Amino acid sequence: MAAHFGRLRKGATTTAVAAVAVAALSASQAPGVTTDDLGRQAAGAAQPSGDAKTGGATGDSPYYTDLPPLKSPNPSPSASPTTGTTVSVGEAEAGIPATVLDAYKKAEAELRASKPGCNLPWQLLAAIGKVESGQARGGRVDASGTTYSPILGPKLDGNGFALIADTDHGAYDGDPAYDRAVGPMQFIPSTWEWAGRDGNGDGKKDPNNVYDAALAAGHYLCRFDRDLSVQSQMNAAILNYNNSTEYLNTVLSWLEYYRKGTHEVPDGTGTLPSHSSNSDPGASPSPTTPATPSTPSTPRTPSTPKPGGAGSTSPTPKPPAPSSPAPSPTPPTPTQTVDHLEDANTGKLTATAGSAFGTKVAVRAESKASKGVAKVRVRFTIIGDTDAAFTGGESVATVVTGSAGTATAPALVAGEKTGDFTVRATVVGRVLGGLDYTATVTPRQADTLTRASDTALTCVPGGEFADQVELKATYKGAVAGKVAATATLIKSADDATENDKGPYFKDADGKTIRTLTDLTTDADGVLKLPKLYADDATGTFLLRVNTTGGAVLTVELKVAAAAS
């Protein structure tokens, strides 16, 4: 399909302000776009390299032209009046709904791993999401990130917009005649068909899911090996998304605004834009939900002749027009009905260094009536000086509550640092008190030590032992690797104090030492001690080795003069 342009570009005053705001960024680098005297793109206008078949990701659909406030969005701390919890408060426009913000940041993280040279900032996705759908209509999404109702742009029927006949048989946009931009990032169906991604891991690629749409937008912007840290390449990527200099200027304005600071707000409470690039009275604003039919008006009652009058009439009082039914209140989202979190029988969180915890953290999201609330996102965060992590190596995990309102964190895996740390559970999109769980990592341990060889350890006075002491540590029959140990040459079986004569080790400077600390078994549980030397004393001496966990082994060392 050939590229389609010719959509009316409206809102000249607003976009002019945007152009001034970002002139320093885009004036010299933005690819040229020619327009006619009505602000429409000319048929021969230069367009950035990209998807020529579809006219960009959005089919050049309408977008919101609202500009960010001039005041800095840097948030300041404030106490919640209901919970007393400290929260970030800033410009309303700087607030991004929690699930939507999470989707942008996850998309950035995925692109950082898969396309590190792209240098995609999540704030660019937020800027595009703002002008395309007002951050998914202020964050009206469920726990999985799917909008409660589809977000649809107007029909691309050539009437003030590009002409794009149906390509998906209405599968994405519900329109079997013409394509319409779909979802919070406003992809047209033909583009979504190849650009769509599964961002939330549910096995589907849904343009109305903010995780899927944000990840798809990130990959779309990063095409052609672009480096978005280069301004000219970022400009080209944005123009490829929607081929309009006004669109470029508006997106760059929001990008700079979000880079100065944002804060998380509950889902469904984001600020909605009000001005669209489409001001055609015969078309729908962008984006919309399917329109509800209006109530038909009541026919006017004709006047009747006045009695006794020669054909004169007096108007019959006009009946009052039927009042439109009051709009039904928007039902609260599941997240908004959560009153608190309760523990869901989480056991004691203890693990040996390097091993998995036997217990998982589980919480239950409950309403004021203490009923479980399903489809709520719960965030589990590891806090403290620890190298423990959830399965997969992450320190933060987000889980959606099930039908009973319960969310169970992924398994915890202990690192090498021992001691206590905290796992905190909070509700995403709500300022509520969380639940803190103390987890403890204990040192690795062994309960048994054995010699690797039964060869007698002998030496002559003033000589060195031919064989080094080699031990094997186990715990409950399994190899005990990386277990701390101490070796001491003791006075006797009943006196474990350090001996002052007989066999000895040498330190790095060659000095005599008879106690070794900071020893550790290797990954196979093997501990090989340094060489032993003998002074002039003869007799039988004892070497005692202790490990964390209580394993003890005493080894005999014999020093005797050589036979004549």
Side-chain angles (χ1 to χ4, degrees):
M1 183 187 297
H4 297 285
F5 301 105
R7 177 172 61 82
L8 290 174
R9 303 293 183 185
K10 304 294 184 180
T13 300
T14 304
T15 53
V17 176
V20 172
V22 298
L25 289 173
S26 59
S28 62
Q29 297 100 334
V33 179
T34 60
T35 61
D36 62 17
D37 57 357
L38 294 177
R40 298 174 298 195
Q41 292 181 9
Q47 66 175 3
S49 62
D51 186 6
K53 293 183 178 181
T54 60
T58 70
D60 295 337
S61 293
Y63 56 89
Y64 287 117
T65 59
D66 299 56
L67 293 176
L70 297 177
K71 186 177 179 182
S72 170
N74 290 327
S76 59
S78 174
S80 166
T82 56
T83 65
T85 305
T86 300
V87 297
S88 291
V89 178
E91 285 287 323
E93 288 289 358
I96 299 178
T99 299
V100 180
L101 180 61
D102 187 52
Y104 295 149
K105 291 185 176 181
K106 276 186 167 55
E108 179 199 55
E110 196 277 345
L111 266 299
R112 190 186 307 123
S114 62
K115 296 183 179 180
C118 179
N119 294 305
L120 171 76
W122 67 260
Q123 292 90 341
L124 177 57
L125 296 176
I128 291 175
K130 181 68 173 181
V131 302
E132 292 293 353
S133 67
Q135 310 297 19
R137 290 197 297 258
R140 294 288 300 162
V141 296
D142 63 19
S144 68
T146 303
T147 58
Y148 285 114
S149 57
I151 301 177
L152 299 175
K155 294 181 180 181
L156 299 176
D157 57 5
N159 184 21
F161 313 107
L163 173 60
I164 304 180
D166 175 64
T167 61
D168 66 330
H169 304 290
Y172 294 118
D173 56 15
D175 191 330
Y178 300 98
D179 272 351
R180 305 173 73 167
V182 183
M185 303 304 274
Q186 289 289 277
F187 278 93
I188 57 173
S190 57
T191 302
W192 182 261
E193 189 63 30
W194 59 265
R197 294 291 193 280
D198 177 14
N200 63 350
D202 64 357
K204 298 183 293 184
K205 300 175 183 178
D206 182 0
N208 280 299
N209 181 280
V210 69
Y211 286 96
D212 295 358
L215 184 57
H219 277 279
Y220 189 93
L221 293 166
C222 287
R223 293 191 305 161
F224 311 123
D225 294 324
R226 291 190 182 106
D227 181 358
L228 300 186
S229 66
V230 178
Q231 189 62 50
S232 59
Q233 294 190 40
M234 177 183 284
N235 291 349
I238 297 170
L239 284 168
N240 194 195
Y241 203 89
N242 189 316
N243 191 20
S244 160
T245 50
E246 293 93 337
Y247 180 86
L248 168 67
N249 292 335
T250 307
V251 169
L252 290 177
S253 294
W254 282 105
L255 170 61
E256 292 308 305
Y257 181 74
Y258 286 143
R259 276 176 164 167
K260 293 176 182 176
T262 60
H263 58 277
E264 182 181 292
V265 299
D267 290 341
T269 65
T271 302
L272 295 175
S274 57
H275 299 89
S276 172
S277 63
N278 164 44
S279 60
D280 184 347
S284 302
S286 168
T288 70
T289 52
T292 302
S294 59
T295 304
S297 60
T298 303
R300 182 176 179 178
T301 304
S303 60
T304 56
K306 184 179 180 180
S312 64
T313 61
S314 63
T316 301
K318 183 179 179 181
S323 59
S324 299
S328 57
T330 302
T333 66
T335 300
Q336 292 169 333
T337 65
V338 177
D339 179 70
H340 60 275
L341 288 175
E342 284 289 336
D343 175 56
N345 298 319
T346 301
K348 187 175 181 181
L349 296 170
T350 304
T352 302
S355 65
F357 284 75
T359 300
K360 296 180 180 179
V361 177
V363 299
R364 187 168 185 259
E366 295 187 351
S367 64
K368 286 185 177 180
S370 296
K371 292 184 177 180
V373 183
K375 297 183 178 180
V376 173
R377 297 175 64 81
V378 176
R379 181 179 295 146
F380 298 94
T381 306
I382 295 174
I383 301 171
D385 182 18
T386 181
D387 53 356
F390 293 114
T391 303
E394 299 293 333
S395 61
V396 178
T398 303
V399 180
V400 179
T401 58
S403 58
T406 302
T408 302
L412 277 167
V413 179
E416 294 304 319
K417 289 185 178 180
T418 59
D420 294 342
F421 64 93
T422 299
V423 179
R424 178 168 296 164
T426 56
V427 176
V428 176
R430 289 295 305 277
V431 181
L432 295 173
L435 291 181
D436 283 355
Y437 294 85
T438 299
T440 303
V441 179
T442 59
R444 297 170 186 261
Q445 53 189 317
D447 56 13
T448 303
L449 277 173
T450 56
R451 277 194 64 196
S453 169
D454 57 2
T455 303
L457 297 169
T458 61
C459 183
V460 297
E464 65 179 53
F465 287 80
D467 297 315
Q468 290 177 245
V469 177
E470 186 173 324
L471 309 174
K472 183 71 174 285
T474 57
Y475 181 69
K476 295 182 178 179
V479 168
K482 299 182 181 180
V483 175
T486 301
T488 306
L489 290 152
I490 60 176
K491 289 184 176 180
S492 69
D494 299 324
D495 186 354
T497 57
E498 182 180 289
N499 206 340
D500 55 1
K501 62 180 179 179
Y504 61 91
F505 300 104
K506 291 182 180 181
D507 65 12
D509 298 324
K511 295 180 179 179
T512 298
I513 55 172
R514 288 188 169 88
T515 298
L516 297 177
T517 59
D518 298 327
L519 299 173
T520 306
T521 63
D522 65 15
D524 296 322
V526 174
L527 177 63
K528 192 171 185 178
L529 300 182
K531 278 189 174 183
L532 277 163
Y533 302 87
D535 59 13
D536 294 335
T538 60
T540 300
F541 301 90
L542 299 180
L543 169 67
R544 179 163 292 174
V545 182
N546 300 272
T547 71
T548 303
V552 180
L553 180 65
T554 302
V555 180
E556 284 190 353
L557 306 172
K558 293 183 178 181
V559 180
S564 58

